[in-house]
Amino acid sequence: EHMMFTALAAEMLAEECGIDPRNSYTSGLLRPLGMLVLDRVAERLTACEPYDHGKYGAYLSWEGIMFGLANSEVACMVLGDWRFPPDIVGAIREHYLTSPADYENNNAVLLNLSGRIVSDAGHTLPGDRRFWELTPKKLEALGIDEDKYRRASQRAGEMFERLRSSLS
């Protein structure tokens, strides 16, 4: 549900701000790929301490200590090997917006705000929650206002519920 909702949120936001909706959908769908890889690695390592939200707060902290790299970096390695377009790889690499330069990547900002939409709907992953703040800086970076953001959020929620209902 998290992956699908993120993909739909990214697609709806992209339509509001004139970014390629197909690539945005793909970025949203594949955003947690590095998490899946690191989770499988962690299962096989006896010395790997399980993620504890109370202790680490964010997945990035735990990943840095356990593996020396972040899930977004792992996803980019895989997607690069699979020859995904650079805008998809870059969006996933920079979507946590940990550097001021990351705000220059519209696709990364869009993916970050998609995380906020998913979080507001109750489908976020606990170790990512702190990254999904809605700020004027993010809206400005995408060239949209809060009304467009809310419209995209509503459309994504409606689409997600229709898809979920059709699969039940």
Side-chain angles (χ1 to χ4, degrees):
E1 288 184 354
H2 173 80
M3 293 170 74
M4 179 58 66
F5 204 138
T6 305
L8 293 169
E11 181 181 30
M12 297 303 118
L13 268 176
E15 290 175 0
E16 291 292 336
C17 53
I19 294 176
D20 182 350
R22 291 178 11 184
N23 281 355
S24 297
Y25 179 93
T26 303
S27 297
L29 191 64
L30 295 175
R31 185 194 79 78
L33 177 64
M35 290 178 196
L36 296 171
V37 170
L38 290 177
D39 186 54
R40 295 308 177 267
V41 170
E43 288 174 356
R44 288 168 173 72
L45 296 176
T46 56
C48 188
E49 183 179 323
Y51 172 75
D52 177 340
H53 185 70
K55 182 175 181 178
Y56 296 105
Y59 295 136
L60 293 181
S61 299
W62 176 78
E63 293 161 354
I65 292 167
M66 294 297 133
F67 304 104
L69 69 167
N71 70 75
S72 52
E73 295 172 277
V74 173
C76 289
M77 288 179 205
V78 173
L79 296 174
D81 283 349
W82 290 346
R83 293 180 167 61
F84 268 74
D87 58 331
I88 292 173
V89 176
I92 293 171
R93 179 186 311 106
E94 299 166 1
H95 80 279
Y96 285 116
L97 306 177
T98 57
S99 160
D102 296 344
Y103 285 84
E104 296 171 21
N105 182 338
N106 289 347
N107 295 306
V109 176
L110 183 139
L111 193 51
N112 182 281
L113 284 176
S114 300
R116 175 58 186 238
I117 290 171
V118 173
S119 181
D120 286 345
H123 294 281
T124 196
L125 301 173
D128 273 347
R129 189 173 294 124
R130 72 176 220 168
F131 295 99
W132 310 147
E133 185 179 350
L134 177 63
T135 66
K137 182 177 181 178
K138 292 176 186 179
L139 294 172
E140 184 179 323
L142 280 183
I144 62 171
D145 59 21
E146 209 164 324
D147 287 339
K148 286 186 176 187
Y149 168 82
R150 300 266 180 239
R151 186 168 44 244
S153 179
Q154 181 177 353
R155 289 175 46 224
E158 291 168 356
M159 178 73 75
F160 176 74
E161 289 305 324
R162 280 197 302 271
L163 285 172
R164 190 161 67 166
S165 294
S166 70
L167 296 173
S168 297

